[in-house]
Amino acid sequence: MSSSNSPADPVVGPPAVDVDKALLAALARDGRASYTDLAERVGLSVSAVHQRVRRLEQRGLITGYHAKLDAKALDLPLTAFVSITPIDVAQPDDAPSRLAHLSAIEACHSVAGVESYILKVRVASPDALEHLLHDIRAAANVTTRTTVVLSTFYEDRPPV
């Protein structure tokens, strides 16, 4: 009969993958969480958590830490998705580089379907959106189809 505390029994802790996922989820929600807070959440020592986070960074699972900005407080209350299609399909597919200078474009996604790219943009007003659409068309030689966001229930949710 073996006791569960016998020296022959290995010490069993949480599986490494589960701990890593818990750390990733915690840091995705709060990139400023201290190693002490993280250690308490996952049940490891502070030094073990520090090593794990460093390994997650080295493996490229954590690519940076960012401040979340309030677009409305920055006077950018209007969000829209702008689908773009090249006017001349023979032209080089370089729209992302042609549009990179437009700071109102928050994201640029290459997509399958009729459009080539979908842009997420934030601007101050409908007039500003109209001006931005003109700039997009001129800079990238594209047609646009725009969908204005009425409300956002959630975004930037972590994948873990």
Side-chain angles (χ1 to χ4, degrees), residues 31 74 124 142 146 152:
L74 294 169
V142 294
T146 304
T152 301

Side-chain angles (χ1 to χ4, degrees), residues 20-116:
D20 287 349
K21 279 189 174 185
L23 288 171
L24 290 169
L27 286 168
R29 282 190 302 279
D30 180 7
R32 294 177 52 151
S34 69
Y35 290 122
T36 302
D37 291 340
L38 294 170
E40 289 173 4
R41 289 182 198 179
V42 299
L44 295 177
S45 70
V46 173
S47 62
V49 166
H50 185 263
Q51 286 179 328
R52 282 180 177 274
V53 169
R54 190 173 60 237
R55 268 189 256 130
L56 292 168
E57 291 169 343
Q58 290 169 346
R59 290 174 43 208
L61 293 171
I62 298 173
T63 59
Y65 301 88
H66 309 278
K68 284 189 167 190
L69 306 179
D70 184 338
K72 288 180 183 174
L74 294 169
D75 293 326
L76 299 171
L78 195 156
T79 302
F81 291 96
V82 180
S83 300
I84 63 172
T85 306
I87 290 174
D88 178 6
V89 293
Q91 76 182 12
D93 186 11
D94 59 355
S97 60
R98 288 174 174 247
L99 299 172
H101 70 282
L102 298 172
S103 62
I105 299 174
E106 187 174 296
C108 175
H109 304 278
S110 176
V111 296
V114 176
E115 290 89 6
S116 298

Side-chain angles (χ1 to χ4, degrees), residues 112-125:
V114 176
E115 290 89 6
S116 298
Y117 298 93
I118 296 178
L119 313 173
K120 179 180 179 184
V121 303
R122 293 192 193 265
V123 292
S125 67

